[in-house]
């Protein structure tokens, strides 16, 4: 269906909005998609691109696929709502403390007034806001929570808050019979917190903690509704929400998790995983736009949680960060849930000729939808919005409170799990059972299930100086094949297997030795200019040769998990940041999937007929040693030898939600329950509690040994 072009204020166009099929301007997908740069030129980039496409297709196909009837939905929707709260860091709900609302000033106009106020959504978490109230009304009025996008307003290095930029929306509402509360966002408020932890500052531990600033924004909205419902001027049963860009995203969060929102109009605030991950729109968004995708949702699930309450999705037809095709896919999928309620008239989409713009047709679409569903009427003509205040007039705080937590709320909002160790065997059984369940459900949920046995492919062999090198590709997952290298003395039969996990530095070290004798078999695996230009070292080769010949019967397997060596992806720091963010959006991390790679390699070794019965030892250092711990918990080996592993996940490895479950010493204890483990470290004090716990459990040093690095 195609709407005729006409003046945006004319009724003929708007009548279509409420049938859920409105387009103003060009309805076709004729606008060019944003040209986000591809992941990169390396073979690993191409492999990763195919992988993301494959994973996104799975999540898209699974989204709401189990819902066939209204009963299906109603049986599940509250659990979905809880899952969303969890992915925002809001399960369990934080305790609702006293808001301590403080009004710091008022502004009077002929037809409305503004209260400048702040409240504490949590003790020390300040939310600066302006409340617009209509004058000359005798009954309680409906209220609109207006949520601001990413517009920084600073004068002489003083932040006035993005509420001051978007105030014209609130002026319109107040002049037309609504109360309107406009909130500053965390990063761009008068007290400047952080939205860009992973996007800009390398705070990948946010993924470990399950933290996202989207959760703070959602909680601030929950408390805003608490406040609105407490005001005597406001009808507590008629509260709506709207906002654009970042505020559009926050409109989604609050409408989905809080049924007190009776109508929602998110503007340019959502699209699907296809756009974000495959098409690359994630590169244009900061962290507040995303929940931590533990349960591996596609975004139509968020829209569905608003059903059957009135919802209008508004967007420009060539918005570069919310492309039209993805916005429409979200709408079409969510509409299936509205259809189950016989409420298709309660969901609409308005797409007009615009980029990421705050223009009058978009504003009018929001006003008309809210009018219809909160006031029960529509206006014949919608006058344009008007800016009437300076930032200085709307500023709330004279000075920043000394007890504010806004700038460090990421450290506190989602608590880390306590560091506990068992006192006895009964407590250990309880702890390890709980940890294993949490690891499966919260940390490694993104692993594929029902995989066929791992297979070795494209095997090649060569011999030099009495040493045999075999290279094969190990298919660990759809779209992911990893090179594996096996080294042994050319004569004799393997009697034991050592598997070394290589990071990028280890790979370069091994290359410098193996290139001396095996440059031909390695040639296909040299993908970067640095690797191709790396000179072989005769001394390094002699050390390798000595290592193998002095330990007869040892088969040495070199495993390079995804993203290392031949499967390395783009080395540009900004592009790598966006690759890691893509992993989070599909409910994974690159480190979490490397654990899966190690598991599959262990399975492949165990399946090899000629190696059956041989002892298998895994050797790893640094953060890869921690990955080996987690892998051995799910797929045991005979022994782990871990060198200089970190004692905390703060600086890696990064695994979704892991810090809400355990820390590294607890992971070592869990690994030692099923494997012999030796930890070599210069930081012996970090493992004293671990060793003490092992003694309480009666474990021998052969089961868990912690010793200083020589």
């Amino acid at each position: 269906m195609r709407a005729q072009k006409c003046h945006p204020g004319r009724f003929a166009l708007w009548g279509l909005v409420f049938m859920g099929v409105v387009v103003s301007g060009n309805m076709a997908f004729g606008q060019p998609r944003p040209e986000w740069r591809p992941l990169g030129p390396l073979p690993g980039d191409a492999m990763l691109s195919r992988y993301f496409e494959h994973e996104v297709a799975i999540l898209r196909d699974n989204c709401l696929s189990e819902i066939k009837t209204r009963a299906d939905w109603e049986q599940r929707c509250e659990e979905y709502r809880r899952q969303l709260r969890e992915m925002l860091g809001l399960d369990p709900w934080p305790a609702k403390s006293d808001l301590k609302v403080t009004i710091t000033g008022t502004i009077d106009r002929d037809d409305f007034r503004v209260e400048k106020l702040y409240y504490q959504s949590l003790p020390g978490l300040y939310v600066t806001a302006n409340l617009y109230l209509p004058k000359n009304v005798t009954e309680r009025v409906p209220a609109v929570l207006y949520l601001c996008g990413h517009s920084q307003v600073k004068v002489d290095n003083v932040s006035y808050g993005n509420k001051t930029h978007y105030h014209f929306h609130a002026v319109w509402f107040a002049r037309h019979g609504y109360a309107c509360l406009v909130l500053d966002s965390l990063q761009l408020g008068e007290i400047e917190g952080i939205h860009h932890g992973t996007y800009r500052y390398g705070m990948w531990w946010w993924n470990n903690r399950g933290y996202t600033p989207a959760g703070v924004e959602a909680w601030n909205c929950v408390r805003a509704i608490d406040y609105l419902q407490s005001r005597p001027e406001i009808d507590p049963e008629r509260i709506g929400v709207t906002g654009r860009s970042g505020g559009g995203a926050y409109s989604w969060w609050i409408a989905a998790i809080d049924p007190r929102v009776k109508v929602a109009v998110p503007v340019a605030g959502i699209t699907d995983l296809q756009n974000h991950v495959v098409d690359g729109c994630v590169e244009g968004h900061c962290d507040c736009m995303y929940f931590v995708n533990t349960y591996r949702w596609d975004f139509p699930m968020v829209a569905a949680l608003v059903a059957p309450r009135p919802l209008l999705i508004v967007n420009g037809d060539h918005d570069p960060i919310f492309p039209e095709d993805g916005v429409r896919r979200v709408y079409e999928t969510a509409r299936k849930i509205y259809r189950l309620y016989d409420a298709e008239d309660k969901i609409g989409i308005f797409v007009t000729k615009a980029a990421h713009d705050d223009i009058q047709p978009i504003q009018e679409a929001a006003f008309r939808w809210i009018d219809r569903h909160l006031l029960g009427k529509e206006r014949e003509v919608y006058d344009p919005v008007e800016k009437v205040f300076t930032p200085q007039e709307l500023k709330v705080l004279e000075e920043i409170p000394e007890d504010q937590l806004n700038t460090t709320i990421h450290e506190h909002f989602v608590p880390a799990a306590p560091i506990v160790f068992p006192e006895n065997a009964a407590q250990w059984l309880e702890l390890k059972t709980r940890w294993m369940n949490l690891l499966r459900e919260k940390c490694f949920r993104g692993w594929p299930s029902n995989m066929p046995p791992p297979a070795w492919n494209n095997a090649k062999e060569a011999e030099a100086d009495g040493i045999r090198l075999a290279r094969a590709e190990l298919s660990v997952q759809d779209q992911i094949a990893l090179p594996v290298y096996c080294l042994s003395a050319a004569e004799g039969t393997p009697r034991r297997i050592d598997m070394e996990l290589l990071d990028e530095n280890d790979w370069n070290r091994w290359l410098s030795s193996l290139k001396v004798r095996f440059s031909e078999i390695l040639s296909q695996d040299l993908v970067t200019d640095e690797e191709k230009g790396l000179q072989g070292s005769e001394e390094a080769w002699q050390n390798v040769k000595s290592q193998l010949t002095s330990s007869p019967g040892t088969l040495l397997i070199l495993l390079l998990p995804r993203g290392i060596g031949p499967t390395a992806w783009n080395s540009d720091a900004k592009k790598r940041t966006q690759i890691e963010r893509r992993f989070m959006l599909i409910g994974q991390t690159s480190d979490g999937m490397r654990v899966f790679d190690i598991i599959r390699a262990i399975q492949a070794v165990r399946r090899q007929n000629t190696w059956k019965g041989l002892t298998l030892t895994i050797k790893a250092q640094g953060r890869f040693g921690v990955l080996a711990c987690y892998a051995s918990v799910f797929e045991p080996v005979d022994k782990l030898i871990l060198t200089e592993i970190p004692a905390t996940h703060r600086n890696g490895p990064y695994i979704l939600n892991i810090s809400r479950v355990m820390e590294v010493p607890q992971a070592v204890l869990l690994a030692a329950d099923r494997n012999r483990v030796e930890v070599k470290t210069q930081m012996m004090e970090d493992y004293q509690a671990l060793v003490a716990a092992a003694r309480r459990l009666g474990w021998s040093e052969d089961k868990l040994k912690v010793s200083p690095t020589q």
Side-chain angles (χ1 to χ4, degrees), residues 170-424:
V171 168
W172 189 94
F173 282 115
R175 284 175 169 169
H176 293 84
Y178 295 90
C180 185
L181 182 63
V182 188
L183 304 187
D184 276 334
S185 62
L186 177 67
Q187 176 160 312
L188 298 173
E190 294 188 29
I191 308 171
E192 299 174 277
I194 297 176
H195 275 176
H196 292 103
T198 68
Y199 184 91
R200 182 171 297 163
Y201 301 126
M203 294 179 174
W204 296 108
W205 62 267
W206 282 16
N207 285 340
N208 289 344
R209 188 72 69 85
Y211 171 77
T212 166
V216 177
E217 302 295 356
W219 179 246
N220 289 348
C221 292
V222 169
R223 300 314 314 273
I225 295 176
D226 292 341
Y227 176 58
L228 287 171
Q229 289 191 321
S230 75
R231 293 287 301 227
E233 307 95 331
I234 293 172
D235 182 345
E237 296 303 315
R238 289 192 293 163
I239 295 176
V241 65
T242 188
R244 62 167 289 98
S245 192
Y250 317 151
S251 300
W252 283 110
W253 312 144
I254 187 61
I257 67 175
D258 197 330
R260 293 178 298 175
V261 172
K262 302 305 181 185
V263 56
V265 185
V267 179
I270 200 169
T271 187
D272 65 358
L273 286 177
Q274 171 72 32
N275 279 167
H276 283 299
V277 176
V278 177
D279 301 333
C281 293
V282 63
E283 302 191 20
H285 292 291
C286 73
D287 299 348
C288 71
M289 305 299 291
Y290 303 116
F291 50 80
V292 177
N293 200 2
T294 305
Y295 291 96
R296 309 199 76 207
W297 287 10
D298 203 348
F299 285 94
M301 182 70 82
V302 181
L305 284 172
V306 184
R309 291 165 289 154
L311 169 66
L312 179 67
I313 303 171
V314 182
N315 218 79
D317 67 344
H318 54 289
D319 189 323
I321 52 178
F322 297 105
E324 180 184 356
D325 60 338
V327 174
R328 288 188 174 278
R329 287 191 294 267
V330 169
Y331 163 71
E332 291 293 345
T333 304
R335 188 163 64 152
K336 297 174 185 177
I337 303 302
Y338 278 81
R339 191 176 295 131
L340 298 178
Y341 284 93
D342 194 24
E344 284 190 82
D345 61 327
K346 296 294 195 302
I347 184 171
I349 184 169
F350 178 85
V351 179
T352 192
K353 189 173 181 62
H356 193 64
D357 303 317
D358 190 6
I359 60 175
Q360 185 176 348
I362 283 175
Q363 295 159 3
E364 291 185 22
F367 297 154
R368 187 174 290 273
W369 187 264
I370 291 171
D371 264 356
R372 174 167 183 172
H373 293 286
L374 283 189
L375 282 184
K377 67 177 185 181
E378 299 170 39
R379 305 168 210 274
E380 190 69 24
V381 176
Y382 281 78
D383 50 299
V385 298
E386 180 185 4
K387 285 193 174 185
V388 299
F389 296 117
T390 66
Q392 290 81 355
E393 289 178 285
L394 296 172
K395 194 172 190 301
V396 172
L397 298 172
E398 290 294 328
E399 57 185 25
I400 294 177
E402 292 183 359
D403 65 342
Q404 64 83 15
L405 295 178
N406 297 49
T407 52
T408 58
I409 192 61
H410 48 280
E411 298 280 0
H412 316 288
F413 194 74
V414 179
I419 307 299
V420 296
F421 291 98
E423 296 295 329
N424 51 56

Side-chain angles (χ1 to χ4, degrees), residues 435-452:
W435 285 345
M436 288 297 294
N437 288 337
L438 289 173
L439 288 174
R440 292 187 183 97
E441 294 172 8
K442 313 297 185 185
C443 304
F444 301 120
R445 198 182 189 95
W447 288 350
S449 57
N450 302 318
M451 291 290 295

Side-chain angles (χ1 to χ4, degrees), residues 54-283:
H54 178 267
E55 293 294 294
V56 165
I58 291 173
L59 301 193
R60 180 183 62 241
D61 293 344
N62 287 343
C63 184
L64 297 171
S65 62
E66 75 282 16
I67 305 300
K68 308 299 182 186
T69 67
R70 178 171 167 177
D72 291 341
W73 175 249
E74 291 181 342
Q75 288 170 4
R76 294 171 171 84
C77 66
E78 286 309 312
E79 170 58 16
Y80 293 147
R81 209 179 311 278
R82 188 208 63 78
Q83 289 177 5
L84 179 56
R85 292 200 310 268
E86 179 185 328
M87 295 190 290
L88 290 167
L90 296 172
D91 184 52
W93 281 113
K96 287 190 175 183
S97 54
D98 185 354
L99 285 169
K100 297 183 178 179
V101 178
T102 302
I103 297 172
T104 64
T106 61
I107 305 173
D108 268 309
R109 290 292 188 265
D110 290 340
D111 47 356
F112 67 93
R113 77 176 190 273
V114 183
E115 294 180 357
K116 300 184 287 185
L117 62 90
Y118 64 83
Y119 61 88
Q120 296 182 51
S121 63
L122 292 171
L125 180 56
Y126 286 81
V127 184
T128 44
N130 296 145
L131 177 61
Y132 294 72
L133 293 164
K135 287 185 175 180
N136 306 315
V137 293
T138 58
E139 297 179 345
R140 286 188 167 193
V141 298
V144 172
L145 179 61
Y146 189 87
L147 304 172
C148 301
H150 293 85
S151 179
Q152 186 176 62
V153 181
K154 267 190 168 181
V155 180
D156 296 330
N157 207 36
V158 174
S159 179
Y160 288 85
N162 45 356
K163 67 182 178 307
T164 64
H165 173 79
Y166 287 98
H167 80 268
F168 50 87
H169 291 268
V171 168
W172 189 94
F173 282 115
R175 284 175 169 169
H176 293 84
Y178 295 90
C180 185
L181 182 63
V182 188
L183 304 187
D184 276 334
S185 62
L186 177 67
Q187 176 160 312
L188 298 173
E190 294 188 29
I191 308 171
E192 299 174 277
I194 297 176
H195 275 176
H196 292 103
T198 68
Y199 184 91
R200 182 171 297 163
Y201 301 126
M203 294 179 174
W204 296 108
W205 62 267
W206 282 16
N207 285 340
N208 289 344
R209 188 72 69 85
Y211 171 77
T212 166
V216 177
E217 302 295 356
W219 179 246
N220 289 348
C221 292
V222 169
R223 300 314 314 273
I225 295 176
D226 292 341
Y227 176 58
L228 287 171
Q229 289 191 321
S230 75
R231 293 287 301 227
E233 307 95 331
I234 293 172
D235 182 345
E237 296 303 315
R238 289 192 293 163
I239 295 176
V241 65
T242 188
R244 62 167 289 98
S245 192
Y250 317 151
S251 300
W252 283 110
W253 312 144
I254 187 61
I257 67 175
D258 197 330
R260 293 178 298 175
V261 172
K262 302 305 181 185
V263 56
V265 185
V267 179
I270 200 169
T271 187
D272 65 358
L273 286 177
Q274 171 72 32
N275 279 167
H276 283 299
V277 176
V278 177
D279 301 333
C281 293
V282 63
E283 302 191 20

Side-chain angles (χ1 to χ4, degrees), residues 488-562:
S488 62
E491 301 295 330
T493 302
R495 297 194 297 272
R496 59 186 167 274
I497 301 172
D498 288 351
M499 181 186 294
E500 275 197 36
L501 308 183
L502 306 190
D503 62 16
E504 206 65 52
N505 291 330
D506 295 329
W507 167 240
N508 289 329
R509 175 172 54 83
W510 274 98
L511 270 183
S512 69
S513 63
L514 297 180
K515 284 184 77 173
V516 174
R517 296 293 186 271
F518 297 107
S519 57
E520 183 175 347
I521 200 171
L522 291 170
S523 60
Q524 71 185 92
D525 295 331
L526 306 180
V527 298
T528 67
D529 292 338
E530 291 80 2
E531 290 169 351
K532 294 173 183 177
L534 184 68
Q535 296 299 310
S537 166
E538 182 67 32
E539 180 181 1
W541 165 248
Q542 292 302 327
N543 288 336
V544 169
K545 179 181 176 182
S546 175
Q547 175 184 344
L548 290 168
T549 56
S550 64
S551 182
T554 297
L555 173 66
L556 177 59
I557 297 177
L558 306 180
L559 175 65
L560 288 75
R562 70 186 73 191

